[in-house]
Amino acid sequence: MIGTGASTLIAVPTFRRPEQLRHLIEAIARLDRLEGTALLVADNDTAGEGAAAAAKAVAEGFPIPVEIICVPTPGLCHVRNAIVAQALAIPTVQRLVMIDDDEWPEPQWLAALLTVQQRTGAAVVGGPVIPVFPEGAPDWAEQTLVFRPERRPEGPAEMLYASNNLLVIRAALEALGSPWFDPAFNRSGGEDLDFLTRLKALGFTFAWAPGARVSEWVGAERARKAWVLRRMWRIGVTDTRVARKQRGLFGRIGLGLRSLALLGLRTAALPALAWRRDRRLDIAGQWVKAVARLYALAGGSDAIYAAPAPVSSAKRGSF
């Protein structure tokens, strides 16, 4: 159990990835600057695989306090909201640091996040996520936009987009209020972008820590062109749903006009597929994303996490 001495809480939502979770926890144990830190693992599987794996991984000599909770209600938003509620229930916790269960940090990760937050005074600090592909993955995978890590200078940032490598101060979480992650995005994803967009609307500032690097497993099922195009569709849908949520009627009309214009630009770029072999997947993906924006504006959503299905090899792209 976590006592009242921790000022920084590292939180991991997990769902049916026990081996990857154990790898992550072992990496957390090797982090620099662990003083005043605790670990929270939130298992969103009623079978408790993640909880069991976490308990086994920390059974002997773990360097910081650990708490393991089960969140029986399924969904991304429910488990993330349980994490925030648990963090705020510990009076001494001033910073919540989030990382996903299919990632693992470099030793300086936590120190880099804390240093940039202290230097800039930002309420939210993010860092790069580096994809790690399985042996035999195609060459194009490392070049496509979906997997390309963000590269920014250290310091203040206009916006951040994901919560899988993120530090948030307590004051920002308290100001946002429950539900911190909107359940409307429970099955589609995009809840982290909505969360960050609302924090920005409240006036909280962001920063980037390039030294806070984490690596992410990329399974063979994701190193496929069909999967990449599906991800671009999802990004178009979720980004637009977040934008619609923040606008009134006239703002939505403007968003629709811009989306139509963007689709026109992406359509005009399609002939480049004939000669830009190195960019074919990105060109097609940007067109798919533009179509998805209009789908979302028409009221469509994307329940990608409701019933995930494997991508058939017969349906792989041929770019």
Side-chain angles (χ1 to χ4, degrees):
M1 295 291 291
I2 298 171
T4 57
S7 58
T8 300
L9 183 64
I10 300 173
V12 183
T14 189
F15 182 75
R16 296 181 183 175
R17 288 173 173 161
E19 293 305 316
Q20 293 177 342
L21 176 63
R22 289 185 63 184
H23 184 266
L24 165 59
I25 291 172
E26 290 166 1
I28 289 173
R30 298 190 294 269
L31 288 174
D32 300 333
R33 201 170 164 181
L34 277 175
E35 302 83 4
T37 300
L39 172 64
L40 172 67
V41 176
D43 190 357
N44 200 209
D45 181 18
T46 54
E49 283 186 343
K56 187 173 182 180
V58 303
E60 297 181 6
F62 202 71
I64 57 176
V66 179
E67 184 165 357
I68 302 168
I69 62 172
C70 290
V71 183
T73 307
L76 295 166
C77 299
H78 294 306
V79 69
R80 295 198 193 282
N81 284 331
I83 282 171
V84 177
Q86 197 76 5
L88 293 180
I90 304 171
T92 56
V93 167
Q94 298 303 310
R95 292 165 295 272
L96 175 63
V97 179
M98 291 181 277
I99 184 170
D100 284 355
D101 63 353
D102 59 348
E103 300 173 343
W104 69 97
E106 296 185 2
Q108 76 283 358
W109 168 66
L110 179 61
L113 288 173
L114 294 171
T115 297
V116 169
Q117 196 280 319
Q118 290 164 357
R119 286 177 180 170
T120 63
V124 189
V125 182
V129 178
I130 314 302
V132 176
F133 297 94
E135 185 177 352
D139 293 340
W140 57 260
E142 294 187 21
Q143 303 302 321
T144 188
L145 287 170
V146 165
F147 295 124
R148 200 176 304 163
E150 283 193 78
R151 296 185 179 182
R152 310 192 199 187
E154 180 176 307
E158 181 66 22
M159 185 61 186
L160 298 173
Y161 300 98
S163 62
N164 56 343
N165 182 5
L166 199 72
L167 178 153
V168 187
I169 66 170
R170 184 186 190 96
L173 297 170
E174 290 177 335
L176 193 61
S178 178
W180 300 274
F181 293 90
D182 187 345
F185 297 91
N186 212 29
R187 295 297 187 183
S188 66
E191 79 291 343
D192 41 5
L193 176 60
D194 176 69
F195 167 77
L196 291 163
T197 299
R198 287 185 287 134
L199 283 177
K200 183 177 180 180
L202 290 174
F204 288 101
T205 56
F206 301 158
W208 185 253
R213 292 162 56 96
V214 305
S215 298
E216 177 185 28
W217 301 110
V218 178
E221 75 284 355
R222 292 168 61 190
R224 295 182 175 184
K225 292 173 180 176
W227 187 94
V228 170
L229 294 178
R230 184 73 176 88
R231 173 55 65 95
M232 292 299 287
W233 174 270
R234 176 201 150 190
I235 291 171
V237 169
T238 55
D239 286 4
T240 305
R241 290 183 66 208
V242 171
R244 284 184 73 232
K245 181 179 171 182
Q246 306 301 320
R247 289 166 169 78
L249 174 61
F250 292 108
R252 293 181 183 183
I253 291 172
L255 183 62
L257 293 174
R258 285 194 294 275
S259 297
L260 284 169
L262 183 61
L263 178 60
L265 289 172
R266 299 306 188 195
T267 302
L270 287 178
L273 291 170
W275 66 86
R276 292 297 306 272
R277 296 182 62 87
D278 60 326
R279 292 284 319 282
R280 284 180 175 178
L281 186 58
D282 287 342
I283 292 169
Q286 293 291 356
W287 183 83
V288 167
K289 181 179 174 182
V291 174
R293 289 171 61 94
L294 294 175
Y295 169 77
L297 283 169
S301 62
D302 199 14
I304 191 170
Y305 292 114
V311 179
S312 168
S313 59
K315 296 182 180 179
R316 292 177 64 180
S318 56
F319 297 110

